[in-house]
Amino acid sequence: MPELTVRNWFGDLVSHPLVIVDAHSVADIQAVLMDPSKYPAPVRAAGSNHSTTPCAAAEGGTLIRMKMNRILNVGPDSLTVEAGATHIEMAKELERRGLQFYVNTEIGSLTAGSAACAGTKDASMPGEFGQVGSYVAGVKMVLPGGELLELTEAGQPERMRAVRSSYGTFGVVYEVTYRIRKLTPLAVHHRTYSIAEFLAALPELKALGYSLMYYFFPFEDRITVEFRKDNPAASGEPNRTAWALRNHTWGTSGPRLAHEIGRHVHSPAIRYGIIDHFNGLWRLQLERFVESDHTSPPDQIIRYPESGSDNGYTFSLFAFPEADFPAALTDFVAFCKDYYAQEGYRSDLLYVGYWIAQDPKALLSYSSGGNVMTIDPVSTGGPGWKEFLNAYNQFCVERNGLPLLNQTFGVTREIARKAFGSRLDEFAAARRHYDPQGRLLNAYFQNLLG
Ligand SMILES: Cc1cc2nc3c(=O)[nH]c(=O)nc-3n(C[C@H](O)[C@H](O)[C@H](O)COP(=O)(O)OP(=O)(O)OC[C@H]3O[C@@H](n4cnc5c(N)ncnc54)[C@H](O)[C@@H]3O)c2cc1C
């Protein structure tokens, strides 16, 4: 049998399933799950394979690629889709009907199946959650034995809470229902501070009634804050260039420039000099041009290319309880500078973060205990990146950081145990309940759960 090789979108995580199945129907999924002799374990479902951890890896087993992507029903406050539907296609369809998602996170490739059972993040809009799955009101799954199960928030809230953190270890999700809302004009603007000014102003900024996301630059002592809020009074046509500019710099020109500089400029002083200069222009662009009283929420969502191997970027993140964040950010700036001085490595892009509201909707939610703020290094990868992440993981764990199992690279059982405590046992027990034979359990989750 020829060896099959599967890479995640960025291209740094490689696995070798024995069988790959494209699921176009529920029957295709059932056929896999009901025939262990033809379709070996672990059986893993994958959406767009954008995760930065091996959560979807089916090493030596069966990978189900979710090709079911139809929009099944759109109501005034709900959307039902097949699990392979992508965030950007769903959001565009909603916009055509004067509707929108609650959370318009920028990753257009995110599939509904992943959103329903894996971690996500976006700056919380005032009074709302920042995790996409928290607005998932119902799922339909094929269980490991091939039976079908439907769960809803209204009918089984506790089981839905576990499913939202199940990462495909309970069953394969084939249908998802979201809560949605009326399309509302969105205002956005940016301001740049020194890090100390930002931390001093943070209590006031939080009280202003905007969502808060930030781009920060430890080597230049700058942080640019994105402020967003609904602006229902806005009229006329939305400004379509503001988010298009942000999306192009964030998703295309920034990573492409960093890749090119990495390939061609070998002197660190010159390389990072160019990067710092580019980041200065990026801040200017955000402040001057990503500013409008009237944008359309789905315009925030980026349509990424099929593969990120040439010009893509990757990242990691930890969430910190908001009371711990000022000290964590201050220490992190020093940590980045020390690490560069000692190891010669720094990210060739930038760092970002989000203020995300307390959210108990998922069992392994990183904000179930209270509001959090995140610290997310972003990079084109390259030599030194994974070693940097090991040191970053250690740094974050020491400061009560919480990871996402699909977005934080290098989570070990010890890290997961410290972050989630007995919630990890609850996850392990629920997983055993749905899949006592461990047919859906890959090495990554086996290691995390013991
Ligand atoms: C360039 C880039 C930008 C990103 N930006 C953001 C961002 O702004 N916000 C954010 O939250 N995240 C972001 N991410 C991370 C991304 O959203 C998550 O990794 C997400 O899980 C990816 O969705 P996916 O469909 O590719 O999932 P996959 O990586 O394919 O799968 C994720 C997990 O869900 C499981 N799964 C997938 N489909 C099913 C199914 N049908 N049934 C059961 N289990 C299933 C998989 O087994 C796996 O455990 C970004 C990633 C990249 C590479």
Side-chain angles (χ1 to χ4, degrees), residues 9 44-51 55-56 66 83 105-107 109-111 113-114 117-118 120-121 167-168 171-173 304 313 315 406-407:
W9 178 82
R44 301 298 295 152
S48 300
N49 225 337
H50 269 62
S51 293
C55 57
M66 292 302 294
T105 191
E106 54 89 353
I107 171 83
S109 322
L110 170 71
T111 55
S114 170
C117 71
T120 55
K121 84 282 171 170
Y167 291 90
V172 176
V173 177
Y304 282 98
Y313 70 89
F315 65 94
N406 58 334
Q407 300 191 32

